Amino acid sequence: MTRSPDMPKAVIEAAPAAIPAAAVPVAAGAASEPRPDRAAPVAAALDPQPLPRRIASQLRDLIIHDMIKPGERIVEQTLSDELGVSRTPLREALKILALEGLVRVYPNKRTLVADPSPAEIKNMLRVYATLEGLAGEMACENRDDADVLALRGYQERMIAARAEGDRIGYFRENQAFHLRIARATRNDTLIELHKTLNLRLHRIRFLGIMRQSDWSSVSAQHAAIIDALEARDGQLLKRLLIDHLDAAWVRAEQSAQAARFRSRSDTDDA
């Protein structure tokens, strides 16, 4: 397993926090995405999660933020040594990530980071966009004033992050924005399906936003989405969310193709 220089060597003490806003921003059109700094660990006594879930959270962040590459083999002994944990909770953590579709475990006990094909990505994006549209309709039926207020807060922080060139901060608020719309449906089944698919697409969306150049139009789309939710116009919100994601996925797929090309080039150079 080829280790990234950013791979942590310390013992996992707790699940990492959200991607820090202090990570290095990238100018529009930059050739490669930034490597966010690992969030400082929290004292284990403050985290009630079982160890396998804390390990899974750590590995999930490394995978979805492109610090462990798609197709990379996970060697349990090497990883357990680097993280300072035993192989038993590590295996349980990998089972969690396998259920989320972030790693794939094969019969010969090999575990690889998932590397979905362009066709698989396209299929996931299509389902995700449909799910977001349905979430928009249901959110208009069930939302309360706190949901609208929360979305306006995320929008304000996205605008501030854009002004500061903080792409990672923008991405964090953008993720929270869409997850909050799903939460506003008050439908546990939709919320869970949305969250799971969001995780599987997280890396692709991350790379897409790192290369985003048209910030003003996206901001206007977010504003229109909030207005439609406040007006409880389910059909309008459904259309806005699907159109919003269609544009985002064009960038995401371009980023995925670029990432796959660089990965092949790195292999050839090696």
Side-chain angles (χ1 to χ4, degrees):
M1 178 172 60
T2 304
R3 304 305 320 141
S4 162
D6 295 302
M7 184 67 196
K9 303 293 184 181
V11 176
I12 292 180
E13 294 180 336
I19 298 303
V24 179
V26 172
S32 62
E33 65 278 3
R35 296 301 182 105
D37 297 331
R38 184 175 66 91
V42 180
L46 300 179
D47 194 329
Q49 291 190 91
L51 182 58
R53 289 196 174 276
R54 299 204 301 271
I55 298 171
S57 183
Q58 182 82 12
L59 294 177
R60 185 185 299 113
D61 273 358
L62 295 173
I63 291 170
I64 63 183
H65 293 104
D66 210 33
M67 298 170 76
I68 302 180
K69 296 293 186 180
E72 185 173 341
R73 183 178 180 183
I74 294 178
V75 180
E76 289 182 6
Q77 187 60 61
T78 302
L79 191 56
S80 66
D81 289 345
E82 291 181 337
L83 298 178
V85 298
S86 69
R87 294 177 68 175
T88 298
L90 175 59
R91 285 172 181 164
E92 292 302 311
L94 292 174
K95 289 179 182 178
I96 293 171
L97 297 181
L99 288 173
E100 294 175 355
L102 294 178
V103 302
R104 293 177 179 172
V105 181
Y106 294 90
N108 59 5
K109 296 185 177 181
R110 285 194 315 153
T111 301
L112 304 180
V113 176
D115 186 13
S117 67
E120 289 176 305
I121 292 172
K122 183 177 181 179
N123 287 336
M124 285 192 287
L125 298 179
R126 185 175 182 182
V127 173
Y128 189 77
T130 301
L131 196 60
E132 282 254 331
L134 177 60
E137 286 187 287
M138 296 180 69
C140 284
E141 297 171 3
N142 298 300
R143 66 91 176 155
D144 58 26
D145 291 344
D147 295 314
V148 176
L149 185 62
L151 291 183
R152 293 201 185 281
Y154 295 134
Q155 169 72 336
E156 289 174 2
R157 289 189 289 277
M158 279 189 277
I159 292 172
R162 183 188 69 194
E164 296 169 3
D166 178 7
R167 289 175 179 260
I168 292 186
Y170 178 94
F171 178 75
R172 181 176 60 245
E173 299 299 333
N174 184 69
Q175 283 286 92
F177 183 94
H178 288 276
L179 291 173
R180 183 63 185 234
I181 293 174
R183 282 178 52 197
T185 67
R186 309 296 191 267
N187 184 301
D188 291 341
T189 300
L190 186 147
I191 292 168
E192 187 61 30
L193 289 172
H194 182 274
K195 178 181 177 182
T196 299
L197 197 50
N198 181 277
L199 281 172
R200 296 184 67 181
L201 291 167
H202 194 119
R203 174 180 177 271
I204 302 302
R205 297 187 68 195
F206 176 74
L207 295 179
I209 283 182
M210 289 305 102
R211 290 173 173 76
Q212 184 172 307
S213 57
D214 187 6
W215 296 80
S216 58
S217 66
V218 174
S219 181
Q221 290 169 16
H222 286 146
I225 286 169
I226 297 170
D227 290 343
L229 180 64
E230 185 170 34
R232 296 187 185 276
D233 190 335
Q235 289 303 308
L236 174 59
L237 183 53
K238 176 181 180 178
R239 186 173 71 251
L240 288 173
L241 283 168
I242 291 175
D243 290 347
H244 176 69
L245 287 171
D246 282 345
W249 296 143
V250 170
R251 294 189 300 273
E253 288 185 292
Q254 291 172 343
S255 296
Q257 291 170 0
R260 293 174 75 89
F261 176 78
R262 285 198 306 277
S263 178
R264 289 195 300 269
S265 297
D266 291 345
T267 301
D268 292 342
D269 291 342

